[in-house]
């Protein structure tokens, strides 16, 4: 068992150099390379060398955002392999459910694709006792607009057209508005079937923020976690929406890039008004997230994103997933594990593996503040 665990850790280090999520998963299962180094009785490899297990104990339960599920799966695998006896159980339900669980005191931290609302912060004080819930940006990435249209592999859309599609105002794929943005593409007379999330979702809210900012005349709904527009079809979680888009001809939906990559779903290039439509990639999302400003106060690190950017190569439909914790007043039986695990996820190594899983690392200027805040949790 020790040899197998060392092998898996060594393989994870190799996976960090891969260029796709699929290669990461393959590398993590490899058993061809071993490491015999030990430090203080704990197994260590290149990938795990920065994972500090101090304080890690027992089971740490967390829940929330399904947007970060693939990132969390990778982090948990690496962390548990490095920290013997530690167990992290992350339930990728939804951002809304994660916040509810956090404010009920049933999880050590929650994942949310939207920062806490003032009323949620107020409620968190009952659980945090001496403090309150704060937002720690941990995972960045593009919200991909996935589509399935037989005979069409490449598609460009702008914000007004997307707004009309998701509001079911544009009903056919050969609509003149779509054709105008895709000169030379033979668009079929196929009905558009838009899919959205069935449950409260931070991904939904971030898409709404983009449409509000970039197409205010065509998207009149508030940017909330619950899908606001009539029509369309609902599916549970990002995985559910991606599965429907994968299966249904004429469909379109929204989910994190990792879901599109793992299922080989075509994604829309976004016409921002710049020189050329921008593809949904981790690199292009990073260009947009790099311009974010911290709007939170005190230890809260909530970000203000620019959804209307026209910067060259900046993909505008982005989200940042926050890990929500108490700044002070964390439960004594989980505090050590929370700090240890989040120290790893915010580390250079922890952030580096995000790219391979289809996400974008948090810009270093912001991430340095995250690490400082995690170290001070009490």
């Amino acid at each position: 068992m020790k040899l197998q665990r060392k092998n898996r850790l060594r393989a994870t280090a190799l996976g960090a150099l891969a260029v796709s999520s699929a290669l990461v998963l393959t590398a993590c299962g490899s058993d061809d390379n071993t490491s015999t180094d030990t430090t203080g009785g704990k197994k260590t490899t290149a990938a795990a060398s920065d994972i500090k297990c101090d304080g890690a104990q027992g089971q740490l339960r967390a829940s929330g955002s399904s947007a970060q599920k693939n990132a969390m799966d990778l982090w948990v695998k690496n962390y548990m392999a490095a920290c013997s006896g530690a167990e992290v159980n992350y339930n990728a339900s939804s951002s809304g459910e994660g916040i509810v669980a956090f404010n009920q005191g049933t999880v050590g931290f929650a994942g949310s694709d939207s920062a806490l609302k003032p009323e949620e912060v107020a409620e968190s004080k009952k659980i945090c006792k001496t403090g309150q819930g704060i937002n720690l940006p941990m995972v960045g990435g593009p919200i991909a607009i996935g589509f399935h249209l037989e005979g069409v592999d490449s598609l460009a859309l702008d914000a007004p057209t997307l707004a009309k599609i998701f509001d079911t105002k544009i009903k056919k794929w050969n609509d003149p508005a779509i054709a105008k943005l895709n000169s030379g593409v033979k668009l079929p007379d196929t009905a558009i079937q838009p899919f959205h999330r069935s449950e409260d979702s931070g991904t939904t809210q971030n898409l709404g923020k983009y449409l509000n900012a970039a197409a205010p005349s065509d998207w009149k709904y508030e940017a909330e976690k619950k899908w606001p527009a009539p029509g369309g079809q609902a599916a549970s979680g990002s995985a559910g929406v991606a599965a429907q888009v994968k299966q249904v001809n004429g469909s379109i939906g929204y989910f994190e890039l990792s879901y599109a990559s793992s299922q080989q779903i075509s994604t829309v290039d976004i016409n921002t008004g710049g020189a050329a439509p921008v593809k949904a990639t981790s690199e292009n999302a990073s260009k947009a997230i790099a311009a974010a400003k911290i709007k939170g106060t005190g230890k809260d690190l909530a970000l203000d994103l620019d959804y209307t950017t026209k910067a060259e190569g900046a993909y505008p439909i982005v989200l940042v997933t926050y890990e929500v914790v108490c700044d002070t007043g964390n439960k004594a039986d989980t505090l050590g594990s929370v700090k240890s695990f989040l120290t790893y996820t915010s580390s250079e190594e922890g952030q580096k593996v995000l790219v391979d899983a289809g996400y974008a690392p948090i810009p270093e200027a912001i991430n340095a503040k995250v690490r400082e805040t995690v170290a001070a949790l009490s």
Side-chain angles (χ1 to χ4, degrees):
M1 291 299 291
K2 289 184 177 179
L3 181 57
Q4 290 174 348
R5 182 169 292 172
K6 291 173 185 174
N7 291 342
R8 286 196 299 270
L9 284 171
R10 178 59 178 165
T12 302
L14 294 175
L17 299 176
V19 296
S20 72
S21 177
L23 288 179
V24 168
L25 295 176
T26 301
C28 288
S30 171
D31 59 2
D32 293 333
N33 298 282
T34 63
S35 170
T36 57
D37 293 335
T38 60
T39 303
K42 295 187 182 296
K43 300 175 181 63
T44 144
T45 68
S49 60
D50 291 333
I51 298 180
K52 302 186 186 309
C53 305
D54 299 343
Q57 59 182 356
Q59 184 184 69
L60 172 60
R61 296 183 61 209
S63 69
S65 165
S66 66
Q68 67 172 355
K69 178 184 184 301
N70 294 332
M72 193 61 70
D73 285 349
L74 193 55
W75 279 336
V76 168
K77 182 182 182 72
N78 292 352
Y79 180 78
M80 287 176 57
C83 298
S84 177
E87 181 180 352
V88 181
N89 184 348
Y90 182 78
N91 177 25
S93 50
S94 70
S95 296
E97 292 175 66
I99 296 303
V100 169
F102 178 76
N103 280 338
Q104 289 177 342
T106 60
V107 295
F109 69 90
S112 178
D113 306 326
S114 294
L116 292 168
K117 294 180 179 179
E119 58 268 28
E120 292 170 337
V121 173
E123 189 176 354
S124 74
K125 294 178 180 180
K126 300 175 185 177
I127 296 300
C128 298
K129 305 298 184 184
T130 60
Q132 65 180 44
I134 58 172
N135 305 283
L136 301 178
M138 201 67 70
V139 181
I143 299 175
I145 306 298
F147 71 96
H148 177 178
L149 188 58
E150 293 180 3
V152 178
D153 297 322
S154 178
L155 190 70
L157 297 172
D158 59 12
T161 307
L162 269 177
K164 292 171 188 173
I165 287 173
F166 280 115
D167 201 15
T168 64
K169 296 292 195 302
I170 292 179
K171 301 180 183 297
K172 294 281 190 176
W173 278 109
N174 62 350
D175 187 277
I178 300 176
K180 184 178 180 181
L181 294 166
N182 294 275
S183 178
V185 177
K186 187 176 182 180
L187 297 166
D189 183 29
T190 302
I192 298 175
Q193 299 193 54
F195 283 89
H196 58 263
R197 293 280 290 274
S198 59
E199 75 286 0
D200 285 3
S201 159
T203 310
T204 294
Q205 188 169 36
N206 278 277
L207 175 64
K209 289 178 180 178
Y210 163 72
L211 294 174
N212 279 162
S217 298
D218 298 293
W219 191 255
K220 301 294 187 179
Y221 307 101
E222 292 293 326
E224 298 291 349
K225 292 178 181 177
K226 190 169 190 64
W227 181 256
Q233 301 179 60
S236 178
S238 292
V241 175
Q244 290 298 317
V245 172
K246 176 74 172 178
Q247 296 170 10
V248 179
N249 183 40
S251 61
I252 188 170
Y254 58 94
F255 33 80
E256 293 65 45
L257 180 62
S258 60
Y259 291 92
S261 301
S262 63
Q263 298 191 47
Q264 297 182 314
I265 297 172
S266 297
T267 60
V268 172
D269 298 342
I270 301 301
N271 187 325
T272 64
V278 184
K279 293 187 179 298
T281 67
S282 296
E283 180 183 4
N284 291 344
S286 291
K287 293 176 182 178
I289 295 172
K293 307 295 183 184
I294 295 176
K295 65 178 180 180
T297 58
K299 295 181 180 179
D300 184 78
L301 300 177
L303 301 179
D304 187 15
L305 298 169
D306 180 8
Y307 297 99
T308 60
T309 179
K310 292 180 174 58
E312 198 64 30
Y315 184 83
I317 318 178
V318 295
L319 62 74
V320 168
T321 297
Y322 302 95
E323 312 311 339
V324 176
V325 296
C326 298
D327 54 359
T328 64
N330 289 277
K331 292 182 178 180
D333 59 345
T334 58
L335 174 60
S337 294
V338 168
K339 292 182 69 172
S340 175
F341 182 67
L342 296 185
T343 294
Y344 163 57
T345 64
S346 61
S347 70
E348 181 180 350
E349 183 64 41
Q351 289 290 299
K352 185 169 67 174
V353 301
L354 290 178
V355 177
D356 303 321
Y359 297 95
I362 300 301
E364 178 54 29
I366 297 171
N367 197 41
K369 297 181 183 297
V370 173
R371 289 195 290 265
E372 179 182 333
T373 303
V374 169
L377 295 178
S378 63

